[in-house]
C-alpha cells in the first residue's frame, strides 16, 4: 500500500510534442506528491509538486494533473525539448513523514 | 551555496575491502538522507538523520552498512566488507525540515563498483 506505481518505463517524444508520465498510488493518506528530474550523472532535483487539495498545478511547460478519486497523478511536459531528456521520478509522502516513496522512474528521450 | 557535496564521485574497490562515502549537507539543513540507486530497485532510502541523530535506519541492507553524522556538516556511509552486489550509485540528500514536503536536495552521487 506504500507503493507508487509509475508508467511508462521509457518514453520517446518528438521535439515540440507532449510528454505524459503517470503514477498511481493506494494509500489515501498521502498528502504530498512531488516530481523529481534526474539528468545522467546527477542527483535527482525537485521539479514540481502538488497537494491533493488542488487538481492541477502548472509551472512553465510542466503541469501536474491530480485525480484524487482515481488515486492517480501525472506529469505533462508541453512543447517537449531535447533538454528535457532525463529520468523522471514521481513520489509521495504521508502527512508529517520525512520519507518519500519514489516511483520506479521514467526515462524520457526527446528527439530533435 | 555549493549544494550537497559528496566524495568520492567514483569508487572502484575489490570485494572485501572497506568503503567510506562522504557527504557535506547544505549549511542550515537539519535533515540528511542516504539513498542507494540501482536499475533493479530504483531509489532506496538507507538511513535518515535529523539534527545529527539517526532516526530511521530500517533501509540499511545489513550489518555491513553503517552511517554516522558526527556534526551538522558531515556524514559518512561505510560498507565493510564490501560485496559486488553493493555496486550502485549512492546519494546523499539534505533538507531544511523533517517532513516529506520539505524539498530534498540531492548531491551528485558516488558511483561505487565492487569487483
Amino acid at each position: 500500500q506504500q507503493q507508487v506505481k509509475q508508467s511508462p518505463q521509457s518514453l520517446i517524444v518528438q521535439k515540440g510534442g507532449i510528454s505524459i508520465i503517470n503514477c498511481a498510488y493506494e494509500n489515501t493518506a498521502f498528502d504530498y506528491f512531488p516530481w523529481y528530474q534526474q539528468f545522467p550523472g546527477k542527483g535527482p532535483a525537485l521539479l514540481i509538486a502538488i497537494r491533493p487539495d488542488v487538481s492541477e498545478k502548472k509551472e512553465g511547460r510542466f503541469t501536474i494533473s491530480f485525480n484524487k478519486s482515481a488515486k492517480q497523478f501525472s506529469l505533462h511536459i508541453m512543447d517537449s525539448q531535447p533538454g528535457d531528456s532525463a529520468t523522471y521520478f514521481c513520489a509521495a509522502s504521508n502527512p508529517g513523514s520525512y520519507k518519500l516513496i519514489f516511483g520506479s522512474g521514467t526515462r524520457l528521450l526527446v528527439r530533435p | 551555496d555549493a549544494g550537497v557535496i559528496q566524495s568520492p564521485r567514483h569508487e572502484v574497490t575489490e570485494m572485501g575491502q572497506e568503503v567510506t562515502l562522504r557527504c557535506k549537507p547544505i549549511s542550515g539543513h537539519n535533515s540528511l538522507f542516504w539513498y542507494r540507486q540501482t536499475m533493479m530497485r530504483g531509489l532506496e532510502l538507507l538511513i535518515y538523520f535529523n539534527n545529527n541523530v539517526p532516526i530511521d535506519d530500517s533501509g540499511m541492507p545489513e550489518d555491513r552498512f553503517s552511517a554516522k553524522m558526527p556534526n551538522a556538516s558531515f556524514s559518512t556511509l561505510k560498507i565493510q566488507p564490501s560485496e559486488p552486489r553493493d555496486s550502485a550509485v549512492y546519494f546523499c540528500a539534505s533538507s531544511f525540515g523533517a517532513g516529506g514536503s520539505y524539498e530534498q536536495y540531492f548531491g551528485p552521487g558516488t558511483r561505487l563498483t565492487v569487483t
Side-chain angles (χ1 to χ4, degrees):
Chain A
Q1 189 164 19
Q2 286 292 88
Q3 283 186 325
V4 177
K5 295 184 179 180
Q6 185 171 346
S7 63
Q9 189 173 20
S10 61
L11 180 63
I12 300 175
V13 173
Q14 289 297 124
K15 178 182 176 181
I18 302 173
S19 304
I20 301 175
I21 304 170
N22 300 299
C23 284
Y25 63 97
E26 289 296 323
N27 183 359
T28 56
F30 285 151
D31 73 338
Y32 178 68
F33 301 89
W35 285 88
Y36 278 75
Q37 179 188 53
Q38 183 180 24
F39 292 106
K42 306 288 187 183
L46 180 65
L47 182 63
I48 186 172
I50 197 169
R51 291 195 180 275
D53 53 347
V54 296
S55 60
E56 185 175 281
K57 183 174 182 180
K58 184 176 181 179
E59 290 184 3
R61 296 184 294 107
F62 300 89
T63 300
I64 299 179
S65 296
F66 187 83
N67 187 329
K68 191 173 182 178
S69 60
K71 292 183 284 186
Q72 295 176 347
F73 58 111
S74 59
L75 176 69
H76 296 237
I77 306 174
M78 312 299 288
D79 186 27
S80 299
Q81 299 296 312
D84 297 330
S85 297
T87 300
Y88 293 81
F89 294 92
C90 63
S93 71
N94 287 297
S97 172
Y98 55 85
K99 186 174 287 190
L100 284 175
I101 312 298
F102 283 95
S104 54
T106 295
R107 185 172 293 184
L108 170 66
L109 176 63
V110 181
R111 293 197 188 280
Chain B
D1 201 314
V4 175
I5 298 172
Q6 291 187 247
S7 65
R9 293 293 313 276
H10 302 272
E11 177 79 40
V12 180
T13 191
E14 291 183 348
M15 183 174 64
Q17 297 298 306
E18 177 180 296
V19 175
T20 299
L21 311 182
R22 297 172 176 79
C23 174
K24 176 178 170 55
I26 292 173
S27 177
H29 284 189
N30 62 3
S31 292
L32 186 137
F33 307 81
W34 281 101
Y35 289 90
R36 179 170 67 177
Q37 185 176 41
T38 61
M39 289 294 292
M40 291 297 295
R41 301 176 68 90
L43 270 166
E44 301 175 275
L45 177 64
L46 299 178
I47 188 168
Y48 162 63
F49 290 87
N50 183 251
N51 291 322
N52 314 335
V53 177
I55 303 299
D56 180 1
D57 64 356
S58 61
M60 298 286 262
E62 42 196 282
D63 292 346
R64 298 183 298 105
F65 286 69
S66 63
K68 293 181 179 180
M69 192 164 187
N71 57 62
S73 60
F74 184 65
S75 177
T76 59
L77 178 67
K78 185 178 293 186
I79 308 172
Q80 165 63 18
S82 58
E83 297 183 3
R85 59 191 167 125
D86 301 330
S87 297
V89 181
Y90 290 82
F91 289 103
C92 174
S94 69
S95 68
F96 178 70
S101 62
Y102 288 93
E103 179 177 354
Q104 294 186 23
Y105 293 80
F106 284 74
T110 295
R111 181 174 294 276
L112 173 64
T113 303
V114 183
T115 61

